[in-house]
Every structure is written in structure tokens, then in C-alpha cells.
Amino acid sequence: MARRLCGEALAEVGLTQAEHGILACLRECGPLMQRDVAERLALDPGDLVTYLDKLEALEAISRTPDKKDRRRRVIEPTALGNELLTRADDALATATARLLDPLDPAETTHLMAVLTRLLGAHDPAHWCEI
């Protein structure tokens, strides 16, 4: 249910969940090489290129040659990409509120604390430190 609600919210903004993840990763980690984005998000490099092509067509990212190795591409969000990510985050917040609406505030707080602890136990490495 959460995946469906979030997918619908992102579709309204014009993104898939993978594309949102790419923009969020770039915002948090800064400019990255394509292979680094694929590794951090556990995406197949071939699939990543398809997502990057769409984001570039939307003018949400730029891909520029690396100064040290011109065969590699550095990916970074554009101003439009940052704006799109902000809109996506707002849409996701609304979807999350809809999902959690049946819970009272104390239950929501408890659930989020338990899920955060569970995620931290299984994925202690921050994706920028890979």
C-alpha cells in the first residue's frame, strides 16, 4: 500500500520511484559518477542509463565529462531538478500522511521510531559513504 501511494504521488509530479531516488541521492551526496549512483541505489547500470536519459530530457540533471577521465560522466541535479525533487518530497509527505491517517499521533511517532531503528539495524552504512 505504501509503495502504491508513493508511486501515485510521484507520478503526479512526473517521476518514478527510481528517478526520485536518483535525485534524492544526488541532493544528499553531491555530484557523482554514474557507477556510484548505481551502486548506492542498487540499480543495474543499464537501467540507470534509462532513468538518467529521462531525467536529462526533463532537464532535471546534467551529465558532464569528468575532468580526470573524460570517458566517465559526472551527474548532478540542475535547479529544475532540485525544484522537481522538492515537489516530489511534498507529494510524498502528503501520501505518507494519508497512509498514516488511521493512527493517532502517538502511534505514528512510535511506528516511525521502530521503523527507523529497524532500518538502521539492517543498513547502518549511509549511502554517501559507500
Side-chain angles (χ1 to χ4, degrees):
M1 185 184 319
R3 182 179 292 273
R4 181 180 54 78
L5 286 172
C6 290
E8 290 169 359
L10 289 171
E12 290 175 12
V13 177
L15 294 174
T16 64
Q17 291 179 5
E19 293 158 354
H20 173 263
I22 291 165
L23 289 173
C25 179
L26 293 172
R27 174 182 58 196
E28 191 164 329
C29 299
L32 294 169
M33 301 294 169
Q34 284 185 200
R35 76 173 190 291
D36 296 329
V37 173
E39 184 178 329
R40 282 168 172 77
L41 298 176
L43 290 172
D44 178 89
D47 292 338
L48 176 66
V49 170
T50 302
Y51 299 129
L52 294 177
D53 287 345
K54 181 184 171 202
L55 290 169
E56 191 171 42
L58 291 172
E59 299 181 359
I61 63 161
S62 66
R63 289 188 272 194
T64 56
D66 180 30
K67 292 175 183 167
K68 295 177 184 171
D69 183 347
R70 297 191 58 77
R71 294 170 296 174
R72 299 187 322 185
R73 299 286 177 206
V74 177
I75 306 164
E76 59 187 311
T78 62
L80 185 59
N82 288 326
E83 178 185 317
L84 189 60
L85 184 57
T86 297
R87 289 185 11 232
D89 289 345
D90 291 344
L92 288 173
T94 300
T96 300
R98 283 183 47 212
L99 178 68
L100 299 175
D101 186 56
L103 303 178
D104 66 41
E107 291 171 321
T108 298
T109 299
H110 180 69
L111 175 63
M112 297 309 284
V114 169
L115 291 174
T116 300
R117 190 173 89 226
L118 183 62
L119 179 62
H122 290 285
D123 189 13
H126 189 272
W127 65 358
C128 289
E129 297 171 357
I130 291 177

